[in-house]
Every structure is written in C-alpha cells, then in structure tokens.
Amino acid sequence: MRQILHVDCDCFFAAVEMRDQPKYQHLPIAIGGAKDRRGVISTCNYPARKYGVRSALATSQALKLCPNLILLPGDMAKYKAVSKEVMDILRQYAFSIEPVSIDEAFLELAPTSNAPLVAKQIREHIESQLGITVSVGIAPNKFLAKVASDWRKPNGQFLIEPSDVTEFVARLPIKRIPGVGPKGAQKLNDIGIYTCGDINKINKESLIQRFGKFAQMLLLRAQGEDDRPVAISGQRKSISIERTFAQDINAPDDIQQALEDMWPTFLSRVEQARLSCTQLAPFVKIKFADFQVTTLANHHKTASIEDYKALIAQAVLRADKAIRLIGIGGRLVVGDDRQLPLFN
Ligand code: TTP
Ligand code: MG
C-alpha cells in the first residue's frame, strides 16, 4: 500500500504577512487588489474567514462583509521565495516530491515509514524554521491525501487508513473531488448525486453515457481510487539534522555523546528518503556560543559516524569556544557534481 502525504500551507500569502508583521496576527487581513480597481481577494487569514471573506471574492464584497478588513497588496517574489524554502524542507523527508502549486506538494513515503510521525515532523520543522504553518493529509493515494489535508486545517493533520477508505468516501460530498467544479457538482445534484456514496448507487452505464470520461474519473474516485503516481520533481540534494543544546557544550566526551544521540535520527532520515549513507558525502556545521558558524565537508561518498566524529573534531578546533549547536548532514553525490550548497 502506498503512503502519500499532501502538504498545504495554511492561508499561505496571509501567513507570510502575519509572520513578517506580527501586529496583523489577530486582525482580519487579506491580500488582494484595491476596491477602486475592481480587485479580487487572493487569500485572507482565518480571522477574516470568520466574516465570510474568501479567495476570489471581489474586494468590494469582502469589505462589505468585513469593514475592518486590512487589505495588503502582496509581494509575489517573497511568497515564491518562501515556497521554495517549504519545498526544500519537504525534499528532506521524501525521495519523491511533486509540488502542485505555490503552497502545496505531494510526497510519497516508503511503505515502512511512520507517516503520521513524518507529517508531525514536517509540520514542526516548517513552523520552527519558516514561521508559517501547514496542514497534512495522509492517505493511500493523491486524491484522498488532498482531501485529508483540508480536514484539520489550519495547522493539523488527518490520516485516512486503507481500511477506512470505503466508509470515508461514502459520505464525501462530490464537490470535494478535485476536478468537480461548481457546474459539474450542479449537474450531478440535478440527478440526485450529492456524495460519492450516491455515485456508487446509480447505474454505471447511464452515468458514462451522460458524462463520458468525467464519469469514469468519478466512478474511480467514488471507490476511493486514484493510481496517479507522485511525479518526482527535482532531486533532493542533501539531508541534514541539527541539534541546539540546552546548555553550550565543550568537553570532547559531551560532543561525542551529542553525536551518538543524533545518529539514529539521522539514519532514519536517510532511510525515509530511501537513500543509504554510501550515497552521501558527509558535512558538519558547528555554531559556537557567540553564534559564529563554521562548516566542514568531506567529499568522499560515505557518511559513517566515524567520518562525522573526525569532521566535528576538526571543526571545533577552529575556535576556542563552547558549542551551541551541531549539525550533521550528507550531500547526495550525483555524478561528479560537487557544487551543491551544504546547509540551505
Ligand atoms: P490555497 O492553498 O488555495 O489557499 P490558502 O493557502 O490561502 O488557504 P488554505 O489555508 O485554505 O489552504 O492557495 C494558496 C495561495 O494561492 C493563497 O495563499 C493565495 C493564492 N491564491 C490566489 O491568489 N487566488 C485564489 O483564488 C486562490 C484559491 C489562491
Ligand atoms: Mg493553502
């Protein structure tokens, strides 16, 4: 059985604005074009959604629903940069990642991965590193994973187990099926179809006669089926983990212990990515007590704990200071490409 995650940022453009200007956190904000230029809303934060403000609504309409709405023009270059950072983090968790839009991606995990745990790690990682939240759907295929990511929004995750699929789809409104727009939904409502369960009850041939290819897609989805693969986009470049210590460390024994504590987490990341240490060239990062950072890499293509011990021992000699953070990573060596960045 496949394990697919769908990751979708919560109120993406608005979340970036709230992160950069915390005064907006609890106020209703929207990104969109001005009312007098007949603008529309791109998105809005959750406080604004309480008033009924939504994507694609005319700004004039949004201001009627919520007169206090703070309208921001938006900064596409900034959102694209944050999107790239999100995708770079996601790439650390799965070998196959398919970005679908600026704020969402599918990931395929190994069948043996603990998918809910990976989802939780992804959510925590993105929130702590980028200051925005995401929601994650976990399911045996793309269709169900996408539906599931919406189920506990914002900042939530929802798992559809293979054994729950039949029951889950039976009650699912047809408008939740990607590809069923308002018009398609209306046509189906006209013949008494409201849920996926209703599709399964009606005569297949008559549905195909009426709707052609669209019906075939509906029949599959109504059974909870979707065999579309996750299309790999771009190669993962590196895997790394970091640990910041509660108290700065200094003694060689403490440094060694810290590395041994981090090692199992690193190995599980490598495994999650369906890679092996023999494909990775090791690198380390040390942040000293005064925040000075140094990195050191070994270009040989194996990452063993001994390699890391040696690299760290060498890196700590660069300054006579206590250590605040240790990072260890492996860079995927593809052919002879040695130009990839280390920590991104
Ligand atoms: P969505 O993921 O659809 O919406 P969202 O992230 O704002 O909110 P949610 O928590 O429900 O996921 O779209 C991602 C971004 O794409 C959104 O922040 C702004 C942009 N967008 C538009 O510009 N116009 C639109 O009509 C929609 C739907 C989105
Ligand atoms: Mg979103």
Side-chain angles (χ1 to χ4, degrees), residues 4 55 57 72 74 89 102 110 124 230 245 258 262 302 315 324 329:
I4 312 289
S55 292
L57 204 63
L72 305 171
I89 289 178
I102 191 162
E124 288 171 358
V230 173
F245 306 111
M262 292 166 77
T302 63
R324 179 184 166 77

Side-chain angles (χ1 to χ4, degrees), residues 132-263:
I132 63 168
T133 62
V134 301
S135 296
V136 184
I138 310 151
N141 61 48
K142 284 165 108 176
F143 155 53
L144 292 170
K146 178 150 172 98
V147 173
S149 70
D150 235 16
W151 231 242
R152 291 284 182 271
K153 251 184 186 294
N155 197 11
Q157 63 185 65
F158 188 73
L159 165 71
I160 303 177
E161 304 246 30
S163 57
D164 296 340
V165 169
T166 309
E167 198 186 330
F168 183 85
V169 283
R171 280 180 283 159
L172 191 70
I174 39 128
K175 60 172 189 272
R176 290 281 190 164
I177 302 177
V180 178
K183 279 187 195 156
Q186 189 56 54
K187 280 188 190 160
L188 290 164
N189 291 167
D190 290 345
I191 54 169
I193 296 176
Y194 293 89
T195 65
C196 289
D198 295 335
I199 296 179
N200 291 326
K201 281 184 219 138
I202 85 156
N203 181 283
K204 274 187 194 171
E205 276 66 41
S206 71
L207 195 71
I208 292 174
Q209 244 169 20
R210 212 180 172 113
F211 293 109
K213 261 199 157 164
F214 182 58
Q216 283 166 354
M217 186 274 283
L218 287 177
L219 286 163
L220 277 178
R221 300 293 180 267
Q223 303 276 343
E225 284 175 24
D226 178 7
D227 59 6
R228 289 173 301 161
V230 173
I232 303 176
S233 147
Q235 275 279 344
R236 151 209 293 290
K237 293 171 188 151
S238 69
I239 299 176
S240 60
I241 62 163
E242 295 184 350
R243 186 131 319 156
T244 302
F245 306 111
Q247 278 174 344
D248 297 342
I249 61 172
N250 222 334
D253 281 356
D254 291 346
I255 296 171
Q256 185 145 334
Q257 187 60 49
L259 177 62
E260 277 165 17
D261 291 346
M262 292 166 77
W263 190 244

